[in-house]
Amino acid sequence: MRVIIAGYDKMLAALITGALDSNHQVIGVIRIDRVKYNSFTLFLKDIFAPSKDFSYIKSKNIAEIKARSVNSKKFRKKIAELKADVILVGSWSEKFSIETIEIPKYGVINCHPSLLPKHRGANPYFWQIYSNDKKAGVTFHYMDEKLDTGEILMQGSFDIMPYMTGGTLKTKTCKVAEIMVAELLSDLEENLIIPVKQDEAQATYDRWNNDLRVIDFCAESPIALHNKIRGLRPFLYPIVNYKGMQRKIKHSELIFEENKITGVTKEGKYLYSKYKDCTLKLTLC
């Protein structure tokens, strides 16, 4: 299979590695830096402060597609010139137009880091932990004109462990995606995949707002607060208001114990919120 890959960070690296290790051809990569920066700024950045994506692509000796958008004429022309069989997407900030999707033989396939149709949208790593899901996973699905709604081609799942943060869940998810790529591409080539429509009745779409960073001991249960904190880390520091001051939270621990006295106390760098049947211990920055 002749594969073009679009993406950034760990998921971009996972898709590249998975495709190369299974002896498929990665004929081009477009990284998110091309969308975020103008050509001159990116030229300087690549010299003086290269991103991990840039360094990884160079280390694999893969050709970069130097287009400003996946919906540009330049990018669509490159797809045709390279005779791409499929485009794999691992984290991206643009919707793909139908004009782009229709060019490769097998279309454009997104790698979404949740078990769709649950947790459509950005940063499912946080939402899966915050929602107290027992399972996380990876969904490879066709891209269409909407967001994360296309037909499902393949899914893989694994348990969300109590120790996982949003960051460790992301690492695990990308590793699973890397392993799945080989089977996906081979099955596509051999016409073994039957696309499955998503069940809209089961769909959830998560929307971020900055209030989610705030830890309010009265607004949510201690389990929900603990899940929120570990889901946010290390992407963002949660914030707690204590005696008129805002403090950032580095870590949380849920201790199951009976407390005769409930309330919030501070001891050094630790903040304790005591409930009748448990204590939420926060490590402050």
Side-chain angles (χ1 to χ4, degrees):
M1 294 276 277
R2 295 174 61 80
V3 185
I4 289 174
I5 298 177
Y8 62 89
D9 200 40
K10 291 182 179 180
M11 193 59 83
L12 172 65
L15 296 182
I16 291 173
T17 302
L20 291 176
D21 287 353
S22 54
N23 296 318
H24 294 280
Q25 290 181 269
V26 179
I27 55 175
V29 171
I30 180 169
R31 55 188 166 115
I32 201 66
D33 292 341
R34 295 284 168 192
V35 177
K36 290 171 62 177
Y37 304 102
N38 65 50
S39 299
F40 182 68
T41 301
L42 185 57
F43 171 75
L44 294 177
K45 187 177 185 303
D46 287 344
I47 295 173
F48 298 108
S51 67
K52 290 182 180 179
D53 295 343
F54 176 77
S55 300
Y56 186 79
I57 292 165
K58 289 296 181 184
S59 73
K60 296 295 183 180
N61 198 29
I62 300 171
E64 260 204 84
I65 298 175
K66 298 179 180 180
R68 290 295 309 278
S69 167
V70 293
N71 298 315
S72 65
K73 290 182 179 178
K74 186 173 184 178
F75 183 69
R76 290 199 284 265
K77 182 180 178 182
K78 201 66 180 176
I79 299 170
E81 287 178 356
L82 293 172
K83 298 179 181 179
D85 291 313
V86 66
I87 298 174
L88 297 182
V89 182
S91 304
W92 201 252
S93 61
E94 301 175 296
K95 287 183 180 180
F96 278 65
S97 67
I98 294 299
E99 290 83 358
T100 300
I101 290 170
E102 290 177 342
I103 299 173
K105 180 179 179 180
Y106 296 100
V108 179
I109 297 173
N110 184 43
C111 178
H112 187 77
S114 80
L115 295 171
L116 291 175
K118 291 184 67 177
H119 303 300
R120 293 173 176 171
N123 200 357
Y125 312 110
F126 164 74
W127 290 105
Q128 288 170 107
I129 293 177
Y130 182 43
S131 302
N132 203 31
D133 292 357
K134 304 306 177 189
K135 295 277 187 181
V138 175
T139 302
F140 284 96
H141 68 96
Y142 280 131
M143 295 190 81
D144 56 22
E145 69 278 9
K146 296 180 182 179
L147 186 64
D148 301 329
T149 59
E151 293 179 318
I152 293 172
L153 304 176
M154 184 176 289
Q155 286 187 313
S157 67
F158 56 90
D159 293 335
I160 299 177
M161 305 306 291
Y163 62 81
M164 282 182 169
T165 64
T168 55
L169 179 58
K170 179 178 181 178
T171 299
K172 173 73 173 180
T173 302
C174 292
K175 191 62 184 177
V176 170
E178 179 183 319
I179 294 168
M180 291 174 64
V181 167
E183 184 179 357
L184 172 77
L185 294 175
S186 295
D187 286 357
L188 275 174
E189 200 167 27
E190 295 174 24
N191 199 29
L192 297 177
I193 295 178
I194 300 175
V196 177
K197 287 186 177 181
Q198 295 189 38
D199 183 355
E200 290 299 319
Q202 300 298 317
T204 60
Y205 186 85
D206 301 313
R207 297 183 185 276
W208 173 260
N209 66 74
N210 285 328
D211 290 341
L212 285 166
R213 288 186 66 189
V214 179
I215 302 302
D216 186 339
F217 299 120
C218 299
E220 297 182 275
S221 71
I223 292 176
L225 293 173
H226 175 59
N227 288 342
K228 177 187 285 190
I229 293 165
R230 66 191 186 97
L232 285 171
R233 300 295 298 128
F235 310 124
L236 290 170
Y237 284 107
I239 295 170
V240 63
N241 293 304
Y242 181 71
K243 292 188 176 181
M245 294 183 64
Q246 279 196 345
R247 299 294 299 271
K248 292 180 179 179
I249 301 168
K250 186 176 182 180
H251 178 72
S252 69
E253 180 182 356
L254 200 57
I255 305 167
F256 290 97
E257 60 184 2
E258 291 186 4
N259 295 305
K260 293 182 179 179
I261 300 174
T262 61
V264 181
T265 58
K266 186 176 181 296
E267 297 178 15
K269 65 178 181 179
Y270 301 110
L271 197 64
Y272 297 88
S273 181
K274 295 187 177 183
Y275 304 82
K276 287 184 178 181
D277 56 356
C278 67
T279 297
L280 181 63
K281 178 183 177 183
L282 307 181
T283 304
L284 304 176
C285 294

